[in-house]
Amino acid sequence: MAAPPALPWRVVWITGASTGIGAEIARQLAARGITVAVSARSADKLSALAQANPRLKPYPLDVTDAEAVIATFAAIERDCGVVDLVLAAAGTYAPVQLDALSPAPFRSMYETNYLGVVNVLSAVLPAFRARRSGHLAWIASVAGYRGLPKAAAYGPTKAALINLAESLKPELEADGVRVSVINPSFVRTPLTAQNDFPMPFLMDADEAARRSIAGLAAGRFEVAYPIRFVALLKFARLLPYRLYFALIRRNVLRR
Ligand SMILES: NC(=O)c1ccc[n+]([C@@H]2O[C@H](COP(=O)([O-])OP(=O)(O)OC[C@H]3O[C@@H](n4cnc5c(N)ncnc54)[C@H](OP(=O)(O)O)[C@@H]3O)[C@@H](O)[C@H]2O)c1
C-alpha cells in the first residue's frame, strides 16, 4: 500500500485532545512524525496519551480561561517551536430539557464551545499574522447548519463558529493565515455516548480523524463528513420553514 502523503505541519496544537475526535487526530498526527501539543482539562488523560507516543506533549488547560490560553500557547512555542496548525476541538454538549430549562447550560456551552475558540484565536493570531503563516482550524458541527430539536444550547454555539470562520477567512487569508472549519456529523465519542436517539451515519472517531486531517492538509475551508449526510443537511438548509419544520416533525420528532 502507498504511504500517505507527507503532511504540511511540523508542530500542531490541539485543544480538546484528551478524548474523542481531538485525541484521535493527535494520535494520528504523532504517528506520522508530527509534534503535537495536546490540551484539555484532564491532565491524567493527556499524560496517558503522551506515554503512548513521546511526540505528544501534554499542556493541561481550561479553554474558558483566556489568560491561561495565552500562557499555554507561549509555553508550547517556547518548548516545541513555531506552531503551524492550531486545531480548537474542545467542546461540550448537553441536550436541552424543556421541563427544566435554565440559562446555566446555555452559558456553559457558549463559554466552552464558542468563547473557548475565541480565546485560542486571540492568543494565536498576533504571532500568525506577524509571521504571515499558520493554519487555524476549529470543530463546529453540522448541528450549526439549522436549528435542531434538543440542540437549542449547543446548535447556536456551532452556528456561531461557522459564521466566525466565514467572517475571518477573507481577511486572514490576505494576511497569509489559513482558516478552516470542521463540521462532523455523528461521531462515536464520549460526547455522543449519552444520546438516546438514532444517530444516522454514525462514524468512528478514527475515521473522523482521518477525514479531518486529509481535509486540513488539502487546505479546504470546510471539512464536513460524511458527505451523503452533509449533502442532505445542506439541502435541508435551502428549504422554506414550512417544509423544514414538517421534515423535522416527521423524521426527528416522529409526530
Ligand atoms: N461526536 C460528535 O458526533 C460531534 C459532531 C460534531 C461536532 N463535534 C465536536 O467535536 C469536538 C470534539 O468532540 P468529541 O465528540 O470528540 O467529544 P469528547 O470526546 O467529549 O471531547 C471533548 C474534548 O473537549 C475537552 N474539553 C471540554 N471542555 C473543555 C474546556 N473547558 N477546556 C479544555 N478542554 C475541554 C474534553 O476534555 P476535558 O473534559 O478533559 O477538558 C475533551 O478532550 C467538540 O467541539 C464537539 O462539539 C462532535
Side-chain angles (χ1 to χ4, degrees):
M1 205 166 69
L7 295 172
W9 317 291
R10 204 183 63 79
V11 179
V12 172
W13 179 29
I14 304 178
T15 69
S18 62
T19 60
I21 305 170
E24 195 51 49
I25 293 176
R27 272 192 217 99
Q28 292 185 17
L29 290 179
R32 292 173 71 176
I34 291 168
T35 299
V36 189
V38 284
S39 291
R41 292 163 304 178
S42 312
D44 53 337
K45 291 188 184 139
L46 298 178
S47 302
L49 263 182
Q51 269 167 17
N53 187 330
R55 289 201 182 90
L56 293 163
K57 314 284 185 196
Y59 289 86
L61 171 69
D62 184 333
V63 294
T64 63
D65 181 344
E67 285 183 10
V69 176
I70 291 172
T72 301
F73 178 61
I76 293 168
E77 291 228 310
R78 188 186 60 228
D79 302 345
C80 307
V82 166
V83 173
D84 313 295
L85 167 69
V86 172
L87 172 59
T92 175
Y93 164 75
V96 167
Q97 307 296 354
L98 295 182
D99 293 340
L101 192 115
S102 81
F106 285 78
R107 186 171 297 123
S108 128
M109 275 180 257
Y110 179 70
E111 282 180 356
T112 301
N113 298 2
Y114 182 67
L115 292 183
V117 172
V118 173
N119 288 340
V120 170
L121 189 63
S122 321
V124 165
L125 261 192
F128 276 22
R129 291 183 74 223
R131 290 178 202 137
R132 298 192 59 80
S133 71
H135 190 164
L136 261 165
W138 46 87
I139 304 192
S141 168
V142 296
Y145 287 169
R146 268 196 110 151
L148 291 167
K150 304 263 184 250
Y154 178 78
T157 68
K158 297 303 186 175
L161 286 176
I162 294 170
N163 195 296
L164 180 73
E166 290 170 352
S167 303
L168 292 174
K169 180 194 154 62
E171 278 177 283
L172 287 182
E173 201 170 52
D175 287 347
V177 178
R178 180 164 277 161
V179 175
S180 298
V181 60
I182 301 178
N183 291 323
S185 302
F186 291 112
V187 181
R188 203 185 311 272
T189 68
L191 184 135
T192 48
Q194 62 181 314
N195 289 350
D196 59 358
F197 51 82
M199 292 185 272
F201 297 89
L202 182 64
M203 183 183 278
D204 284 329
D206 60 342
E207 182 57 25
R210 261 192 295 283
R211 293 187 193 208
S212 301
I213 292 169
L216 293 177
R220 289 216 295 273
F221 170 67
E222 186 190 22
V223 182
Y225 48 78
I227 198 64
R228 275 197 301 157
F229 195 44
V230 168
L232 263 172
L233 294 170
K234 287 205 170 182
F235 171 71
R237 205 157 60 162
L238 302 174
L239 294 176
Y241 281 129
R242 196 170 48 82
L243 287 177
Y244 178 67
F245 292 136
L247 193 85
I248 291 292
R249 262 194 308 274
R250 207 170 28 248
N251 293 288
V252 183
L253 301 180
R254 300 190 190 281
R255 282 183 194 153

